[in-house]
């Protein structure tokens, strides 16, 4: 016991353990979400999805993992081998390092840095480079076009989403994700979507702008995870599978894992920004470090399910519609909201 | 050699090795991708120097903006138009003169700067920089800040104008 405690107090060991902790969440989360996604998709389309493997197909995600582990790992001969191998890891690293600033509860956050949300915006740009790398290294025109479309889309939608985050930062007065959550502590009425922890008249005048900012962030976060209605980067009818067309086996699985981790990431950011992070909706009732983790994951999963629901309901946007939504609708509205919030907060 | 030193040497090696690949690689796409690790290593060194805001801004501006732009340019020219862009040696004399001047300038700066050696770097207290930077930008340095933003706005308007003019020409 003594030895173990001594080992844990070693800075390198504790840093490695803290770095691995979110992975312990992501892996089971991905299994559950793959199952939920397939089942929700099936029920939305009035069918059953898999029913054979286990009760209502509950063992299917495990079977999928086994299949992916056994598959041959194919690297195309004309591909640029080093970049081809590096790309999926780069995509995953970009997503995973953002988990460092997610406050899972009042007691657990990977790194409580002062610039949390800014860090999150910055490291997600690693994903773009990873996608471009995978598309180019595959030496396949569909992969390349998919990667270019994906990068153009993510870069465009970073602007409205960063402006929406800026609005929330102006209200809460901090960029640290943990402090932002503390700002919203004290029940559902204190959440930033309802004006946060401010005097009553400011809260009331902030509500319409916060709802608009929430919608802007929700739409642009959906674009950033490349899911329908914003999935032209992997539009099957045009591009086969987009940037990961040539990938198979575990490399494909890592892309998949990164996509699902990214899905939870953007949902968690919505929760931190607008819906109180790990705080309980009932004030001090059912609050505490463990309940905090419960609320955080529950709220996050609600938004993951919202994303899945929208994905299987809406048709795909065209490229010009996509750019129109980003530059001519979301960005001006976000700028107006930031201006209005600035005036309200200063007064 | 403590943890701090190990991390510093790691980032230093990453930065210099990837910068060497940027310069010496024959394939321009490898150079562009290698820039990612150079920017990343520099950002890591900024973090070690307690400049957290600068480090994150480095990632956001250079990796998220400039590098993606470079990659777009390089990829669209090599793989879509199928013209191989290779780097080669040309203009040796002017390049030598410019590099010598630059090296002299850098060496002069290194020589004349009064380096901060009062404390060991690992003992620098971890305090946040964003508040100080924000306050400085809207008080003492408000004029350069506003001038920079106006210049950037002009650049954006100019870029939009150029893109628009080209499109109307092709329509005619």
């Amino acid at each position: 016991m003594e030895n173990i405690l001594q080992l844990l107090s070693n800075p390198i060991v504790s840093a490695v353990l803290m770095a691995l902790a979110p992975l312990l969440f992501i892996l089971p989360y991905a299994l559950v979400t793959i199952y939920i996604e397939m089942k929700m998709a099936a029920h939305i389309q009035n069918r059953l999805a898999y029913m054979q493997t286990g009760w209502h197909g509950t063992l299917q995600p495990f079977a999928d993992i086994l299949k992916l582990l056994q598959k041959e790992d194919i690297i195309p001969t004309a591909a640029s081998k080093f970049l081809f191998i590096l790309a999926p890891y780069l995509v995953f690293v970009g997503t995973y390092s953002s988990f460092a600033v997610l406050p899972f509860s009042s007691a657990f956050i990977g790194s409580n840095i002062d610039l949390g949300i800014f860090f999150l915006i910055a490291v997600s740009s690693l994903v773009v480079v990873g996608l471009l790398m995978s598309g180019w290294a595959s030496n396949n025109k569909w992969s390349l076009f998919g990667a270019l479309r994906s990068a153009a889309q993510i870069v465009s939608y970073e602007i409205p989403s960063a402006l929406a985050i800026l609005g929330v930062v102006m209200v809460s007065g901090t960029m640290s994700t943990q402090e932002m959550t503390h700002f919203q502590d004290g029940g559902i009425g204190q959440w930033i979507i309802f004006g946060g922890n401010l005097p009553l008249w400011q809260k009331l005048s902030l509500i319409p702008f916060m709802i608009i900012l929430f919608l802007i962030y929700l739409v642009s976060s959906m674009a950033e995870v490349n899911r329908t209605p914003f999935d032209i980067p992997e539009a099957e009818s045009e591009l086969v599978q987009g940037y990961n067309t040539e990938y198979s086996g575990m490399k494909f699985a890592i892309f998949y894992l990164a996509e699902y981790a990214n899905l939870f990431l953007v949902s968690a950011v919505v929760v931190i920004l607008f819906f109180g992070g790990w705080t309980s909706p009932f004030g001090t009732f059912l609050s505490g470090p463990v309940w905090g983790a419960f609320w955080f994951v529950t709220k996050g999963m609600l938004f993951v399910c919202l994303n899945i629901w929208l994905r299987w309901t809406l048709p795909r946007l065209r490229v010009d519609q996509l750019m129109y939504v980003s530059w001519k609708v979301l960005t001006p509205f976000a700028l107006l909201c930031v201006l209005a919030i600035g005036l309200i907060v200063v007064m | 050699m403590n943890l701090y030193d190990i991390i510093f040497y790691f980032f230093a090696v990453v930065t210099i090795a990837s910068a060497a690949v940027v310069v010496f690689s024959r394939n321009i796409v490898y150079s562009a991708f290698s820039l990612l690790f150079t920017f990343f290593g520099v950002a890591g060194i900024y973090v070690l120097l307690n400049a957290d805001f600068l480090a994150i801004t480095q990632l956001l501006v250079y990796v998220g903006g400039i590098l993606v732009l470079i990659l777009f340019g390089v990829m669209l020219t090599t793989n879509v138009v199928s013209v191989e862009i290779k780097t080669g040696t040309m203009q040796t004399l002017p390049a030598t003169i410019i590099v010598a001047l630059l090296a002299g300038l850098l060496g002069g700066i290194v020589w004349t700067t009064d380096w901060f050696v009062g404390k060991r770097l690992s003992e620098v207290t971890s305090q946040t920089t964003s508040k100080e930077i924000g306050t400085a930008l809207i008080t003492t340095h408000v004029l350069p800040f506003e001038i920079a933003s106006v210049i950037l706005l002009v650049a954006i308007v100019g870029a939009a104008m150029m893109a628009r003019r080209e499109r109307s020409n092709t329509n005619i």
Side-chain angles (χ1 to χ4, degrees), chain B residues 2-59:
Chain B
N2 57 9
L3 186 61
Y4 184 92
D5 291 332
I6 297 171
I7 297 174
F8 171 77
Y9 283 114
F10 172 74
F11 281 121
V13 168
V14 165
T15 310
I16 292 172
S18 58
V21 175
V22 174
V23 178
F24 293 117
S25 172
R26 285 270 156 206
N27 188 334
I28 200 164
V29 177
Y30 287 138
S31 297
F33 278 122
S34 189
L35 261 183
L36 167 69
F37 296 96
T38 315
F39 292 146
F40 177 74
V42 172
I45 288 173
Y46 282 148
V47 172
L48 285 182
L49 292 172
N50 228 14
D52 50 356
F53 185 80
L54 201 58
I56 298 174
T57 313
Q58 159 94 7
L59 275 186

Side-chain angles (χ1 to χ4, degrees), chain A residues 11-12 80 83 86 90 114-115 118-119 121-123 125-126 128-129 132-133 136 139 144 148 151-152 155 175, chain B residues 3 27 29-30 33 36-37 52-53 56-57 59-60 63-64 67-68 71-72 75-76 78-80 128 130-131:
Chain A
I12 301 174
S80 161
L83 295 181
L86 185 65
L90 207 60
D114 189 48
L115 296 160
F118 188 44
F119 171 82
I121 302 174
V123 291
S125 53
L126 270 180
V128 183
V129 180
L132 283 173
M133 190 184 280
W136 188 84
N139 202 8
L144 185 68
L148 289 176
V155 169
M175 282 193 273
Chain B
L3 186 61
N27 188 334
V29 177
Y30 287 138
F33 278 122
L36 167 69
F37 296 96
D52 50 356
F53 185 80
I56 298 174
T57 313
L59 275 186
L60 188 70
V63 177
L67 183 62
V68 172
L71 285 174
F72 259 69
M75 285 179 168
L76 284 174
T78 48
N79 255 26
V80 178
T128 56
S130 53
K131 274 217 168 71

Side-chain angles (χ1 to χ4, degrees), chain A residues 167-199:
Chain A
V168 175
V169 168
M170 282 160 76
V171 170
S172 65
T174 174
M175 282 193 273
S176 153
T177 47
Q178 190 70 284
E179 273 173 47
M180 212 177 254
T181 315
H182 278 296
F183 177 79
Q184 311 176 57
D185 205 353
I188 194 165
Q190 306 289 326
W191 291 356
I192 287 182
I193 188 130
F194 301 118
N197 200 354
L198 291 173

Side-chain angles (χ1 to χ4, degrees), chain B residues 136-164:
Chain B
L137 277 183
I138 54 166
T139 51
T140 35
H141 302 297
V142 67
L143 187 66
F145 179 67
E146 291 295 333
I147 289 175
S149 48
V150 169
I151 290 173
L152 284 176
L153 183 68
V154 170
I156 294 173
V157 173
M161 277 296 290
M162 282 164 78
R164 179 161 290 204

Side-chain angles (χ1 to χ4, degrees), chain A residues 21-37 61-62 65 92 95-96 99 102 104 225 227 256-268 296-308:
Chain A
L23 200 61
L24 290 180
F25 167 75
I26 291 174
L27 294 174
Y29 148 80
L31 283 180
V32 172
T33 311
I34 289 169
Y35 179 76
I36 293 177
E37 170 134 43
F62 298 98
I65 295 278
F92 188 72
T95 308
Y96 189 67
F99 274 75
L102 286 193
F104 276 88
V225 290
R227 292 165 69 84
Y256 218 64
L257 190 65
E259 191 191 316
Y260 276 96
N262 212 350
L263 180 60
F264 183 79
L265 183 75
V266 293
S267 309
F296 187 75
V297 173
T298 310
K299 291 175 192 171
M301 286 307 284
L302 274 178
F303 281 98
V304 169
C305 289
L306 179 72
N307 255 314
I308 295 174

